[in-house]
Amino acid sequence: MPSFVDVDGNGSLDLIITGASVSGMEIRALLNGAAKGAAAQYSLTGATLWPIPDRLTLGDLMTVADVDRDGKLDVLIGKEYGTIEYFRNTGSSTTPVFQLQNQTFGGFTIDDPTYARARSIVVTDLNGDQQNELILAADNGTVRVYQFPNPVDKALTLLDSLPSIGFPGTGLIAAAADLDGDELPDLMLGSIAGGMRYLKNTSQRVVTGIPEEPTGPWAFPNPTDRYLTIRPPYDGQIDVVSLSGQVVMSSQAVLANVETVVDLQRITNGMYLIRLSGSNRSPQVQKVLLLK
């Protein structure tokens, strides 16, 4: 099952694939080699294996999302008997470590036989208020929208059961994306019979007044032959990461709007991700080409 999420924080969607192999369940991450807004570039040769969360089995439905809003992707698993399990990422963005936090996320316990299978889970901000909603599509054909729990161990609050869509089929799989360019995610529903429904999002878009993070370059020059100047928009630390997700230089402290020079002499030529992270701030990533 594919998931499109921004793993490395550079604004472009990466691809997470979950499936079964001869050796069991596998999760592979393919980083998008294209810039934000450009056509996606995925390479199987650059795919990295992610660790399998304990208890993930064939028949479960997994999704990745930043559940605890720490800038790293966590895992929610819709279990075949109806519960949802939450695994927190205690590693890094590109080298995750998943630890079980809650076996009944949202307050769901083992279902009655009318559900019988796992819920398909979508985490998305439906109206632009920078607060996620949780969409659950069930095997029995029901689709429900919940307020995302805050704190994360809180029971879910039902917002809408979407009665107007009628019966979309059984064995539902849900996905969300902005399909019409209005900056609101729409919903796609696939059923076991092979049908697909497109549900346009008609929510009123909320303007929060929260300023956008700066999008201008804060790591320069690019390309560089050795030295890289960092002038970040906030206090934090930077890591230099290869396109395969390996940290090649780590944990150098930087201050907001103060220039820090980084020496790249020890690493080989190539394209690298400069990852900026800070307390209670969304991580930012810039691509830099090193040519000595």
Side-chain angles (χ1 to χ4, degrees):
M1 177 176 293
S3 297
F4 292 92
V5 288
D6 185 6
V7 173
D8 50 19
N10 67 348
S12 59
L13 291 179
D14 307 300
L15 175 61
I16 307 296
I17 300 175
T18 306
S21 70
V22 292
S23 58
M25 300 294 293
E26 283 191 359
I27 304 172
R28 293 182 181 268
L30 289 78
L31 296 184
N32 187 353
K36 181 180 179 180
Q41 297 178 12
Y42 303 117
S43 172
L44 284 174
T45 58
T48 57
L49 275 174
W50 275 15
I52 302 297
D54 293 339
R55 302 162 56 86
L56 178 65
T57 60
L58 196 64
D60 294 341
L61 295 177
M62 189 190 90
T63 193
V64 288
D66 185 5
V67 174
D68 56 1
R69 300 177 70 89
D70 65 350
K72 298 180 295 186
L73 292 174
D74 309 299
V75 165
L76 294 173
I77 300 176
K79 299 295 291 182
E80 191 169 15
Y81 40 78
T83 60
I84 298 174
E85 295 185 345
Y86 162 41
F87 289 78
R88 183 173 181 266
N89 181 1
T90 60
S92 67
S93 297
T94 53
T95 310
V97 176
F98 299 118
Q99 292 189 355
L100 179 63
Q101 302 294 305
N102 191 343
Q103 295 184 46
T104 55
F105 180 82
F108 287 102
T109 55
I110 295 176
D111 270 329
D112 60 61
T114 59
Y115 272 87
R117 288 191 175 186
R119 293 172 170 90
S120 178
I121 305 168
V122 172
V123 179
T124 189
D125 179 2
L126 288 173
N127 61 358
D129 65 353
Q130 300 193 17
Q131 300 294 323
N132 281 330
E133 282 76 41
L134 189 75
I135 303 172
L136 300 179
D139 185 72
N140 67 351
T142 59
V143 183
R144 292 172 178 164
V145 181
Y146 296 87
Q147 180 181 333
F148 200 84
N150 186 18
V152 296
D153 57 356
K154 182 181 176 182
L156 294 178
T157 300
L158 180 65
L159 299 177
D160 197 346
S161 57
L162 302 182
S164 63
I165 69 173
F167 180 66
T170 60
L172 296 180
I173 299 293
D178 179 11
L179 299 179
D180 53 9
D182 64 355
E183 300 183 355
L184 293 173
D186 306 296
L187 185 64
M188 298 295 293
L189 293 174
S191 70
I192 197 170
M196 185 170 291
R197 288 196 179 195
Y198 161 48
L199 306 181
K200 176 176 170 55
N201 186 352
T202 59
S203 302
Q204 183 68 39
R205 189 170 185 272
V206 175
V207 178
T208 63
I210 299 175
E212 297 282 342
E213 293 283 6
T215 57
W218 44 263
F220 52 88
N222 187 17
T224 182
D225 58 3
R226 177 173 177 176
Y227 294 105
L228 188 67
T229 299
I230 308 294
R231 189 169 60 206
Y234 54 78
D235 293 351
Q237 64 180 34
I238 61 162
D239 301 305
V240 181
V241 184
S242 70
L243 293 183
S244 64
Q246 180 183 4
V247 177
V248 296
M249 289 182 61
S250 62
S251 300
Q252 180 159 344
V254 290
L255 298 175
N257 301 313
V258 174
E259 293 189 357
T260 300
V261 177
V262 178
D263 187 356
L264 303 180
Q265 177 66 22
R266 295 183 180 180
I267 61 178
T268 59
N269 286 349
M271 184 73 73
Y272 293 91
L273 305 175
I274 312 301
R275 183 174 64 209
L276 170 67
S277 56
S279 178
N280 298 318
R281 304 301 293 264
S282 297
Q284 294 192 27
V285 174
Q286 282 192 207
K287 292 180 182 177
V288 170
L289 179 63
L290 176 62
L291 292 174
K292 300 178 185 177

